[in-house]
Amino acid sequence: MASKIVVGYDGSTSARTALNFALDVAKAQGGSIVVAHVLEWSPYSFLSTSELAERHKRRTEELERAETALIQPLLKDLETSGVDVTTTVKYGNIAEVLVSIAKSEGANHLVIGRTGHSALSSRLFGSVAGSLAQAAPVPVTIVP
């Protein structure tokens, strides 16, 4: 059975190293990759109707910006990789969204870099890697 690997990607050097690792695994196993970029978002705020509308507008703009500035150039770079690569950009708690993506995609492996752009928040609220190691429905590889 061919593998399907979900890779958490935030554009950091560590995320690129994780993606390169996943590409090597996918090539060796004849598998595919889902590159998942998750924009951190907390649902825990009390906002007025106008503030909710503004927040929704900002979220839409951020998703579009991530797609244009991060994902499209990455896909262009991976065109010659020889691996089937798809992408998804979502909002939410990073670990929870990656678990959800792994389940919905029928992935059998999840790969992330050890550190990313949210190093400060991980020190304050716990790491994505630690959360995934406890909650993921598939094996998780944390690439240094």
Side-chain angles (χ1 to χ4, degrees), residues 111-124:
V111 177
I112 61 166
R114 181 173 50 209
T115 58
H117 286 306
S118 60
L120 175 62
S121 65
S122 70
R123 281 188 227 119
L124 296 173

Side-chain angles (χ1 to χ4, degrees), residues 15-29:
R16 186 58 198 226
T17 302
L19 177 59
N20 290 340
F21 171 84
L23 285 167
D24 289 343
V25 172
K27 285 177 189 175
Q29 298 178 352

Side-chain angles (χ1 to χ4, degrees), residues 36-90:
H37 179 67
V38 182
L39 295 162
E40 188 75 42
W41 177 71
S42 172
Y44 304 109
S45 1
F46 298 98
L47 303 172
S48 69
T49 305
S50 62
E51 289 170 326
L52 283 172
E54 180 61 30
R55 189 175 194 190
H56 177 72
K57 179 183 172 194
R58 281 195 317 266
R59 283 179 52 187
T60 301
E61 289 168 354
E62 288 174 0
L63 288 169
E64 290 170 357
R65 192 169 36 252
E67 184 68 38
T68 303
L70 187 68
I71 298 301
Q72 288 176 4
L74 178 66
L75 281 174
K76 185 163 180 49
D77 184 43
L78 297 176
E79 283 177 347
T80 59
S81 69
V83 174
D84 180 32
V85 178
T86 58
T87 63
T88 184
V89 179
K90 296 191 180 282

